[in-house]
Amino acid sequence: MFPNLDEIEVGKVHRSDDKEKKAAKREVNVDMNPMVDLAFLLLTFFMLATTFNKPQAMELVVPAKPKESDIEKETPVKESKTYSLVLLEEKAYWYRGITDPSAEEISLDQDGIEAALRAAQEATEGMIVLIKPLETADYEDLVMVFDALNNVEAERYALSEPTDFDIKLQNGKE
Amino acid sequence: MSILRNIRKKPKLDMNPMTDMAFLLVTFFMMTTTFKADLPEEIMIPPSQAELKLPESDICTISITDEGKVFFGVDNKHSRKRILATISGQRGIKLSNDQAEAFSLQSSFGVPIDELPAYLDAEVRGKYYEQNGIAIGTEGELDDWIMTARMINPKLRFAIQADGKVKYPIINTVFETLRDLNITRFNLVTDKKIDVSES
């Protein structure tokens, strides 16, 4: 880099194109195109092949199966506090109590069900909702009902077996 | 002199910021995503407003397609191998190392145990193989798989991922299967519902 002291000739300026075969510093032209292509390829790959972590989940707690000896100990539930929601394919029935109730038909939309639930909550302290999906009920309607129950903060609800009345509802009205 | 000045210089574009941006995006996607568990069949999960996040590890996913086919999957590769070893030992089915390896690569599967060796030997698996689902109910094998999975990993949590159009009886059978095994707390996988109206 530094010129040899012996070689300096007074009067001559050291120029870059001198006869000395020192490798002149050349401008390097790197073509960035392939690297950019690669980067975008990787990006596209990751965008298509992966999914954002953590799909949503809804927690469900079901009561444990009672043992034979426990069945007698089950506390009977006050009939007037129970509300039943019978789910069919296209609609649902909503009624109070168990023996000889008068069922009203409601549509399977979340707002409607939430309104019915809230009305019941106002009317009854400690309301218990029995969800009875029939054979033709869709899973997404069940999820929607759970959603509605969570939104109104219902504390006691359960999936239960349809009664004869419910089955009659299905056969009678459909 | 003026003629020389008129020769347009080719515009030089500095690519540096763009490549920086591209690599930033790649890094972002690499860090925040996981490979999609390639489901054998498409499942349209129903929407809900539930905001609970699915746990990241120790999950057992029971998937139900709209045709009612049931698939079973555990998230951990080693757990899968051990579950397979236990099940095949119980039933006296001998499986080679290759087959065990193939099994551990599947994030979920839906074939009866009898068909399992054939499935694992097949050229292609996953969604390229016609899987008919695991039998559920009293004659079914789902409870064996769940029980074994639980035994291998006591911390296992269960998630049910079912298509919205599945009819209730199948869901009920799966719920009952879990209840019979004393599993009373599980998750339902749902899609985030975009709340358009303020309620």
Side-chain angles (χ1 to χ4, degrees):
Chain A
M1 200 163 78
F2 295 105
N4 203 333
L5 286 174
D6 300 348
E7 289 175 358
I8 293 180
E9 285 171 334
V10 179
K12 244 196 171 167
V13 178
H14 187 84
R15 296 216 313 248
S16 60
D17 51 6
D18 253 355
K19 284 220 199 93
E20 289 165 359
K21 297 288 190 230
K22 269 210 184 117
K25 212 163 187 241
R26 253 176 260 126
E27 210 183 295
V28 176
N29 270 330
V30 177
D31 186 16
M32 296 279 258
N33 287 325
M35 187 169 92
V36 176
D37 288 340
L38 190 71
F40 278 112
L41 262 168
L42 278 174
L43 180 65
T44 316
F45 167 72
F46 276 105
M47 279 201 315
L48 296 176
T50 62
T51 178
F52 278 106
N53 271 335
K54 300 176 218 178
Q56 314 288 349
M58 175 192 256
E59 207 172 52
L60 184 63
V61 181
V62 294
K65 270 231 163 86
K67 289 196 278 282
E68 284 299 317
S69 54
D70 284 347
I71 293 189
E72 291 99 50
K73 290 193 219 145
E74 265 181 28
T75 46
V77 152
K78 239 197 152 103
E79 232 189 76
S80 59
K81 288 198 185 183
T82 67
Y83 285 83
S84 295
L85 184 62
V86 182
L87 300 175
L88 287 97
E89 189 165 8
E90 303 279 315
K91 54 179 184 261
Y93 288 98
W94 170 249
Y95 60 84
R96 187 176 178 172
I98 298 180
T99 43
D100 216 10
S102 58
E104 61 169 289
E105 188 179 310
I106 58 175
S107 63
L108 282 170
D109 80 300
Q110 193 166 341
D111 293 325
I113 293 185
E114 278 185 29
L117 285 168
R118 281 187 218 272
Q121 258 179 343
E122 301 277 309
T124 321
E125 179 84 31
M127 130 181 116
I128 301 166
V129 183
L130 301 174
I131 311 162
K132 301 172 190 175
L134 294 183
E135 284 168 1
T136 49
D138 288 326
Y139 174 64
E140 59 190 359
D141 295 325
L142 184 62
V143 171
M144 184 263 290
V145 168
F146 285 138
D147 229 3
L149 286 162
N150 282 332
N151 280 346
V152 304
E153 288 167 14
E155 286 170 350
R156 300 158 83 180
Y157 55 88
L159 291 166
S160 72
E161 293 286 318
T163 60
D164 293 331
F165 176 76
D166 301 321
I167 300 179
K168 266 200 290 227
L169 272 175
Q170 174 185 30
N171 294 333
K173 303 281 175 80
E174 276 193 351
Chain B
M1 251 316 217
S2 57
I3 302 169
L4 284 167
R5 290 274 146 129
N6 278 342
I7 294 171
R8 277 186 62 216
K9 280 184 166 174
K10 258 198 273 198
K12 282 195 193 144
L13 183 64
D14 185 15
M15 297 278 260
N16 287 324
M18 190 169 88
T19 55
D20 287 342
M21 190 60 211
F23 278 114
L24 265 169
L25 281 173
V26 169
T27 315
F28 168 73
F29 277 107
M30 278 201 309
M31 298 294 157
T32 60
T33 62
T34 54
F35 280 103
K36 240 194 302 221
D38 206 12
L39 285 170
E41 293 184 27
E42 271 303 308
I43 291 184
M44 302 284 287
I45 46 183
S48 100
Q49 291 162 326
E51 292 191 336
L52 195 66
K53 302 284 186 214
L54 208 60
E56 273 193 19
S57 56
D58 300 320
I59 309 181
C60 166
T61 309
I62 300 170
S63 312
I64 309 173
T65 68
D66 58 349
E67 294 168 359
K69 299 185 191 172
V70 178
F71 291 84
F72 177 84
V74 177
D75 62 339
N76 187 315
K77 200 173 158 196
H78 296 291
S79 301
R80 286 180 219 153
K81 272 202 174 139
R82 291 172 65 191
I83 295 171
L84 182 68
T86 312
I87 294 266
S88 57
Q90 273 175 1
R91 309 257 172 149
I93 301 173
K94 287 216 82 65
L95 291 169
S96 69
N97 275 340
D98 285 338
Q99 288 173 316
E101 189 62 35
F103 183 81
S104 67
L105 290 173
Q106 298 291 305
S107 62
S108 73
F109 70 94
V111 286
I113 298 182
D114 300 331
E115 209 181 304
L116 206 50
Y119 172 68
L120 295 173
D121 277 335
E123 285 281 311
V124 285
R125 278 171 286 280
K127 61 171 177 266
Y128 302 106
Y129 184 99
E130 183 86 24
Q131 299 187 53
N132 283 322
I134 301 174
I136 52 176
T138 42
E139 297 296 316
E141 297 164 349
L142 185 64
D143 49 349
D144 286 336
W145 288 108
I146 296 177
M147 198 160 59
T148 315
R150 200 107 188 280
M151 222 164 52
I152 303 269
N153 184 353
K155 285 187 297 179
L156 205 62
R157 278 175 286 193
F158 292 88
I160 298 181
Q161 187 179 33
D163 189 293
K165 297 289 172 213
V166 177
K167 295 293 178 195
Y168 183 68
I170 298 181
I171 306 282
N172 193 28
T173 314
V174 175
F175 283 172
E176 290 296 310
T177 311
L178 289 166
R179 268 183 79 194
D180 283 338
L181 293 166
N182 254 332
I183 297 166
T184 54
R185 183 177 275 270
F186 44 87
N187 291 331
L188 302 178
V189 179
T190 56
D191 223 347
K192 178 79 184 153
K193 195 194 287 188
I194 301 167
D195 205 3
V196 179
S197 63
E198 281 296 322
S199 55

